[in-house]
Amino acid sequence: MMTPSVLIVGAGPVGLTLAIECRRHGVSFRIIDKASGPSTHSKALAVWSATLEHLAAAGLAESFLDASRPVRKLLMQDLGRTVAEISLTEGLDSPFSPPVILPQSSTERLLLARLHEQGVEVERGVECADVRPAAECVACDLRHPDGRAETLKVEWLAGCDGARSIVRHKMPVDFAGTTENMGFILTDAKVRDGLPEDSIVLSSGPHTSVIIFPVRPGTWRFFTLRAGSENRSEPTLEEIQRHVDAAGLGRLHLSAPEWLSYFAVNERVASRNRVGRMFLLGDASHIHSPAGGQGMNTGMQDAFNLGWKLKLLASGSGDPEAIADSYFAERHPVAQKVVRETSRMLHFGVLSGGLARAAKKVILPILTELEPFKRRAALELSGLGISYAQSPLIQRDAPHLARHGCPGPGSLARPAAGRESGSPGSLWRELLHPGHTLLLFSGPSPSEAALAVISALMQEVRGVSTQCRIIWQADAAPSIWEKDQVLPDPEGSAHRRYGMHEPGWYLVRPDQYVAARGLGSDLEPLTDYLGKVF
């Protein structure tokens, strides 16, 4: 067997996503998991818009949408009466709005199916017992189910092996944070009727709060705080029903529980998610409250960020240190923010005293009517507001390039209507391929000068893994380019969306984040970036 470039330890949603990305980008790898099979519990439920956009690049968005159900709002209730409604889709500029609910077991099933299609099998029952990093490789001691020992040397190691990660324990990092002094109980149970199918509900009473998520038709997750953190036993359905009744939802009668669980909440972030040739992803790198449904999404987005970079690292392209450490520069601040924000959401959600309830009843109806609040809430939860602007793999703008409301360097590229072969199309779909994309804007009323600028820019990226797309603001473009390279934009909607009022360009990375942009034949930011990467 050929020695792989990458070993992925852990085959939950994060490890499976990274494996799919490695396969898509042509990186050789093995993926192992000490468990004998995938998860059978629903666990993580929400799949947010940014994650769905990344899944679209892997050809998985449609299967996720077919298997899931949309969730459009969060209902804040007091004793079962709605006092505020927070939209989860307000102002979301995404092909995938609203977000969806899909049990983690189904997420893993879909990811595994894609790997099977790609001819990849997870090596089950294989444990990574020890890790020994060196300058040129990482030696990994593996134990197979039959007792066989194996030492595998790989160029890069990805720890997707959860909160007790063996990979993290072998790295010189701290896993700093806190354990909440409270215990939580949950169940996935049947409810005959009385709950909206497209909403998350948070209802507070004098002594308790209950959060309810739709899981599948007729089945809901009930999540609440247990009084006293000493009792860590598995809850009964009757115990959770008492909390539901006390939150003013006595009309809901729980039955046929599929899952009952107790858990404590840890809020921790590894001080480094990359050391040398070793990376940490998902719970191995950051764990936090389930409030906001961010955990699995953040881990999967770690994988989308790292997959294409492993291709560059394995092939020896560009500046390897800048490429490798961009993972830390980009994903570590995201992890810190997610831990911080989900802790706030958790404490706000479980507050049930008289003053807290009164504040919720007075303040929330006001806030949820404010457009900036609604847009920000949806943007933060969706993951669409993540920015890598300070990364070494992002070229900073010159001051004259600032465009309010347009995708800037470090932000996700956004959809823009165009016209493909006479029918409506989306510029965004041109970005769903494994390489970089250079978007070349002609500017209004394109002239010979615009043609010369575009030709010079195309020449600059010749020979590197970059796809060129010309957005021509006229009904027809010159015939010197292949037809599939040109996207007519006669009404200028794509130009306006990207703030291009004259000839210019955007370079978009394989993970759909804007790497650089410029006006006219300003090549410096483009050549600087290409030098780092290629």
Side-chain angles (χ1 to χ4, degrees):
M1 181 186 296
M2 184 178 69
T3 301
S5 296
V6 178
L7 175 65
I8 302 170
V9 181
V14 178
L16 294 173
T17 300
L18 183 60
I20 289 169
E21 286 298 283
C22 283
R23 186 70 167 175
R24 193 165 73 92
H25 292 287
V27 180
S28 62
F29 68 93
R30 284 171 63 181
I31 177 170
I32 64 171
D33 196 295
K34 64 181 180 181
S36 59
S39 173
T40 58
H41 293 303
S42 53
K43 294 185 180 179
L45 291 175
V47 184
W48 293 97
S49 300
T51 305
L52 288 167
E53 289 191 15
H54 291 307
L55 286 167
L60 282 165
E62 292 304 318
S63 59
F64 269 71
L65 293 176
D66 290 344
S68 62
R69 58 197 306 195
V71 58
R72 293 182 170 83
K73 53 195 173 184
L74 168 62
L75 301 180
M76 308 293 290
Q77 299 185 343
D78 185 79
L79 287 174
R81 185 179 67 84
T82 298
V83 297
E85 182 178 304
I86 299 174
S87 171
L88 301 177
T89 64
E90 188 79 23
L92 285 191
D93 181 16
S94 173
F96 302 105
S97 174
V100 298
I101 293 291
L102 184 67
Q104 181 175 323
S105 52
S106 297
T107 292
E108 292 189 25
R109 175 178 53 79
L110 293 172
L111 296 173
L112 280 166
R114 172 50 53 91
L115 278 179
H116 292 329
E117 291 171 8
Q118 296 173 333
V120 176
E121 296 294 332
V122 175
E123 298 178 47
R124 296 284 180 187
V126 179
E127 181 179 2
C128 182
D130 197 11
V131 172
R132 299 186 306 281
E136 299 301 322
C137 68
V138 183
C140 306
D141 292 339
L142 310 182
R143 292 182 190 146
H144 290 261
D146 59 3
R148 179 171 57 93
E150 175 190 5
T151 296
L152 175 68
K153 293 183 178 180
V154 291
E155 294 179 274
W156 306 95
L157 177 63
C160 308
D161 48 340
R164 295 180 175 86
S165 168
I166 181 65
V167 177
R168 188 186 66 246
H169 283 301
K170 297 298 180 178
M171 295 169 66
V173 299
D174 297 322
F175 201 37
T178 61
T179 299
E180 292 284 358
N181 186 29
M182 54 181 88
F184 295 88
I185 52 177
L186 67 82
T187 186
D188 289 353
K190 299 289 185 185
V191 177
R192 182 171 296 177
D193 51 35
L195 284 167
E197 296 281 343
D198 67 344
S199 301
I200 299 168
V201 176
L202 191 161
S203 187
S204 298
H207 306 294
T208 192
S209 292
V210 175
I211 306 174
I212 308 170
F213 297 84
V215 177
R216 64 180 67 87
T219 300
W220 305 82
R221 174 167 300 170
F222 293 81
F223 168 80
T224 187
L225 174 66
R226 173 183 270 170
S229 59
E230 299 80 15
N231 181 4
R232 295 173 175 265
S233 63
E234 181 180 288
T236 63
L237 190 65
E238 291 71 26
E239 179 184 7
I240 294 177
Q241 181 72 61
R242 288 195 295 272
H243 283 271
V244 172
D245 296 345
L249 299 171
R251 70 183 188 279
L252 305 177
H253 301 290
L254 282 59
S255 64
E258 298 177 2
W259 187 31
L260 289 156
S261 181
Y262 167 90
F263 66 95
V265 171
N266 285 283
E267 296 162 344
R268 300 181 186 278
V269 182
S271 54
R272 293 278 306 179
N273 59 11
R274 176 256 166 172
V275 176
R277 295 178 171 273
M278 302 164 67
F279 299 94
L280 298 173
L281 298 84
D283 286 357
S285 175
H286 41 77
I287 54 174
H288 47 81
S289 157
Q294 297 296 304
M296 183 180 72
N297 288 268
T298 305
M300 292 174 72
Q301 288 168 31
D302 288 345
F304 291 120
N305 183 280
L306 183 59
W308 67 277
K309 295 174 183 176
L310 287 172
K311 168 64 174 179
L312 297 172
L313 293 169
S315 61
S317 297
D319 180 343
E321 180 59 27
I323 293 167
D325 216 48
S326 72
Y327 176 72
F328 171 74
E330 294 174 3
R331 296 306 299 170
H332 189 256
V334 172
Q336 290 178 311
K337 182 177 181 182
V338 167
V339 170
R340 185 170 61 249
E341 295 299 326
T342 55
S343 178
R344 290 175 181 167
M345 282 189 275
L346 175 70
H347 287 91
F348 176 79
V350 301
L351 289 173
S352 57
L355 286 175
R357 289 174 59 211
K360 288 179 183 179
K361 286 190 285 187
V362 172
I363 296 171
L364 281 174
I366 298 172
L367 279 179
T368 53
E369 289 301 315
L370 300 175
E371 290 300 321
F373 174 85
K374 291 191 287 186
R375 285 195 300 270
R376 182 173 180 80
L379 191 67
E380 291 296 325
L381 288 169
S382 69
L384 297 174
I386 292 171
S387 172
Y388 299 148
Q390 303 307 311
S391 166
L393 283 198
I394 298 295
Q395 295 299 120
R396 288 166 178 73
D397 264 348
H400 70 281
L401 281 174
R403 298 283 192 276
H404 179 69
C406 301
S411 64
L412 272 170
R414 295 292 76 218
R419 196 175 72 200
E420 299 166 7
S421 303
S423 62
S426 172
L427 174 61
W428 172 80
R429 297 198 176 277
E430 298 297 319
L431 311 176
L432 307 185
H433 68 101
H436 286 70
T437 304
L438 183 62
L439 301 176
L440 300 155
F441 292 85
S442 69
S445 305
S447 62
E448 289 293 326
L451 190 151
V453 166
I454 289 172
S455 297
L457 288 162
M458 291 177 74
Q459 185 63 36
E460 189 66 25
V461 298
R462 193 177 302 278
V464 298
S465 179
T466 302
Q467 169 183 276
C468 294
R469 289 293 179 264
I470 300 148
I471 298 89
W472 194 259
Q473 195 172 335
D475 285 306
S479 58
I480 59 172
W481 300 304
E482 295 179 17
K483 187 176 181 181
D484 63 359
Q485 287 185 301
V486 180
L487 285 81
D489 184 33
E491 289 82 27
S493 56
H495 277 72
R496 288 191 297 274
R497 184 68 189 86
Y498 278 77
M500 284 294 161
H501 308 302
E502 56 187 284
W505 55 272
Y506 268 74
L507 183 66
V508 182
R509 307 188 325 185
D511 59 356
Q512 302 166 42
Y513 279 84
V514 176
R517 63 180 173 180
L519 295 176
S521 55
D522 179 14
L523 297 180
E524 185 175 351
L526 180 61
T527 55
D528 283 353
Y529 177 85
L530 295 177
K532 292 177 188 175
V533 172
F534 295 111

